[in-house]
Amino acid sequence: MFERARKSMIGGVPMNWMIEWPGRFPIFAKAGVGSKITDVDGHTYVDFCLGDTGAMFGHSPKATVDAAARQMRKGITMMLPTEDSIRVGEELAHRFGLPYWQIAMTATDANRFALRMAREATSRRKILVFNGCYHGTVDETFVRLVDGKVVPREGAMPPPVDPELTTKIIEFNDLQALEQALMGGDVAAVLMEPVMTNCGIILPEEGYLEGVREITRRTGTVWIIDETHTWCAGPGGYSAAHHLKPDMITLGKPVAGGIPAGAFGVSQEIFDKTIGNMLAETTGVNGLGGTLTGNALALAAMRATLEKVITRKAYDHMIPLAERFNEGVEGTIQETGLPWHTVRLGTRVEYRFGATPPKNGAEAIAAKDPLLNKYVHLYDLNRSILLTPFHNMALMSPYTTRKDVDVHTRVFRESVEELTT
Ligand SMILES: Cc1ncc(COP(=O)(O)O)c(C=O)c1O
């Protein structure tokens, strides 16, 4: 199939990340159901990748599928709001603590719109992100910190403008650097994950996020929290679990059970500062939304997913499994004395090739071991386990079982034994 696909698809895949799976070709999926994927050769895999978070609550959750199927017979996209949208707005406001929401197509989209709103609210142009971040293919955020300078991310196709014009970048867990970067009063927004997840999991140090809130508030900078991945911490994301009070929140991936959708929420203050231009006669060209954004199908799927899938009960099943996964890996690491460690955030667990957890992006990037990474992923793949290709990161779903976790614990142990003997 891969040979045939290469004749019509760039790289043989419909989206270029899919060639990052280990081996000479990606497996082609026949079906994904619950916590399992079956490929076209009939192999069944325990899936800890879960669509890199898009299917964090399992493949084709029944409530989402039923609601989406019903809506598909009643209009997919109509350029009109449906009643479902009200329930989605109410539910997001209730969970995440921000009063007003709009829908986006993806988390990338949500971030792009959030930054635009922040610029509108502050009349400032620059944004600030953290070294090692990923917020989707948003040009201003596609950067790295090298020798104290902001540069385009390695491997990225060229940006439209030099990121020095659009972006400031600092290391995570450094309040002094944040203070310095925001002092000039030229930064519209700080966009961040409250726990970094895209160069491995990096936890905030005690008091760090409270410090970010205080400095952003004092300097009139909009604080945007991207909960796309950190939603694994609980039903209202890391923000609700840790009582954070950002000005805006963005999310996407699992919000409609895998059907494309994202969302961003704003505080009363941001709403008051932006609503004028949002609802002006020129609203169709204010730079937010798109023809298919907020379509009836996505909203039906979001409503069902929020009401019936992304529930406290689901987390109560998923978190103990993540703890079990963590203990299994940690046990092998300790017994073998390898200088590795594990980190867990709610339903997300990761193991890293270094003795101590990195505290910022620079440390995380320096600790990467691409060859070892490939080894672990290929070893797992050949033994019917899917781990996200870009990380050693496992997600638990409401369908994941203790047996699934124990299969990984056994295979992980075998992979380490082969490596060390
Ligand atoms: C934190 C974060 N925000 C945003 C995105 C973008 O999501 P999408 O590719 O679905 O637009 C990602 C993707 O990995 C992400 O990790």
Side-chain angles (χ1 to χ4, degrees), residues 253-270:
K253 295 201 183 185
V255 67
I259 289 174
F264 62 94
V266 303
S267 65
Q268 183 70 51
E269 191 184 345
I270 300 291

Side-chain angles (χ1 to χ4, degrees), residues 21-293:
W21 286 97
R24 283 184 295 117
F25 53 87
I27 62 165
F28 275 65
K30 190 165 181 192
V33 180
S35 66
K36 305 286 186 322
I37 281 184
T38 306
D39 73 14
V40 288
D41 296 320
H43 304 118
T44 297
Y45 300 82
V46 178
D47 186 12
F48 292 108
C49 167
L50 296 172
D52 188 18
T53 312
M56 188 165 100
F57 294 89
H59 295 288
S60 297
K62 184 173 174 344
T64 309
V65 172
D66 289 350
R70 270 196 309 273
Q71 186 61 46
M72 281 176 81
R73 286 185 218 101
K74 296 191 296 179
I76 294 170
T77 194
M78 298 180 271
M79 195 54 76
L80 286 168
T82 53
E83 194 181 346
D84 288 333
S85 65
I86 308 171
R87 273 298 300 132
V88 167
E90 289 167 350
E91 186 59 28
L92 290 172
H94 170 69
R95 284 179 186 230
F96 290 93
L98 288 172
Y100 300 108
W101 289 79
Q102 271 222 334
I103 303 305
M105 208 64 188
T106 61
T108 300
D109 237 15
N111 282 326
R112 204 175 283 129
F113 300 156
L115 292 177
R116 207 181 274 275
M117 294 277 280
R119 291 193 175 110
E120 169 76 9
T122 58
S123 303
R124 299 174 182 175
R125 288 286 163 270
K126 285 205 167 166
I127 62 131
L128 183 139
V129 291
F130 294 83
N131 196 27
C133 74
Y134 184 76
H135 297 285
T137 54
V138 181
D139 285 311
E140 304 98 301
T141 67
F142 237 41
V143 290
R144 284 282 185 260
L145 180 62
V146 177
D147 300 330
K149 287 190 73 174
V150 57
V151 298
R153 193 185 167 134
E154 71 289 349
M157 292 191 180
V161 294
D162 184 341
E164 275 217 299
L165 296 172
T166 59
T167 309
K168 293 190 184 184
I169 184 169
I170 58 169
E171 293 292 355
F172 195 68
N173 277 325
D174 185 345
L175 285 177
Q176 220 182 341
L178 183 69
E179 174 102 44
Q180 232 175 12
L182 299 189
M183 226 161 39
D186 57 344
V187 176
V190 168
L191 172 61
M192 73 190 296
E193 293 186 278
V195 176
M196 294 191 83
T197 66
N198 279 297
C199 51
I201 296 172
I202 304 176
L203 297 168
E205 287 172 350
E206 183 88 30
Y208 176 64
L209 294 171
E210 290 73 15
V212 173
R213 177 63 289 187
E214 191 279 315
I215 296 169
T216 48
R217 189 166 281 144
R218 178 158 42 81
T219 55
T221 315
V222 178
W223 187 24
I224 308 172
I225 287 191
D226 181 342
E227 287 276 12
T228 306
H229 277 181
T230 48
W231 206 349
C232 62
Y238 192 88
S239 298
H242 293 264
H243 314 292
L244 305 178
K245 298 270 176 257
D247 303 302
M248 300 184 74
I249 285 179
T250 59
L251 48 87
K253 295 201 183 185
V255 67
I259 289 174
F264 62 94
V266 303
S267 65
Q268 183 70 51
E269 191 184 345
I270 300 291
F271 175 84
D272 291 341
K273 287 181 174 163
T274 53
I275 188 71
N277 270 354
M278 278 193 76
L279 299 185
E281 268 178 36
T282 51
T283 185
V285 290
N286 65 14
L288 308 178
T291 312
L292 299 179
T293 308

Side-chain angles (χ1 to χ4, degrees), residues 328-375:
V329 173
E330 192 62 44
T332 298
I333 291 174
Q334 277 180 9
E335 272 172 47
T336 51
L338 277 171
W340 297 357
H341 69 275
T342 60
V343 201
R344 183 179 68 82
L345 178 67
T347 67
R348 180 180 289 257
V349 192
E350 186 172 70
Y351 42 97
R352 312 183 69 126
F353 309 130
T356 49
K359 72 173 197 310
N360 59 37
E363 289 182 15
I365 293 164
K368 278 190 175 175
D369 189 328
L371 200 58
L372 208 45
N373 226 35
K374 267 196 183 146
Y375 167 77

